[in-house]
Amino acid sequence: MWLNRLLENVGRSGVNAQCPVCKKFCTQSAQKKLRGQAMLCPHCKSLFIMNSEGN
C-alpha cells in the first residue's frame, strides 16, 4: 500500500523539458523521462524523447 502511494507521487512529479523543435520549455511527467517515452510539446505539438542527461 505504501509502495503504491510512493509510485503515485513519483508519477505526479514533473520535469522541465525543452522542446528540440520550438525550444520552448514545458512541464512533463518524470515517469515518461525515466521510461524514455515520447513527450508531446504543448506549444508546437511535436513529439520528442528526453534522454536521461537532459535534452
Side-chain angles (χ1 to χ4, degrees), residues 22-53:
C22 69
K23 306 296 184 204
K24 293 185 180 179
F25 287 92
C26 57
T27 303
Q28 298 285 344
S29 168
Q31 279 192 340
K32 284 186 178 183
K33 178 184 176 187
L34 291 173
R35 293 179 181 170
Q37 293 178 329
M39 300 179 198
L40 179 66
C41 176
H43 305 286
C44 69
K45 308 300 186 229
S46 65
L47 289 172
F48 63 97
I49 295 175
M50 191 169 144
N51 58 24
S52 59
E53 297 89 39

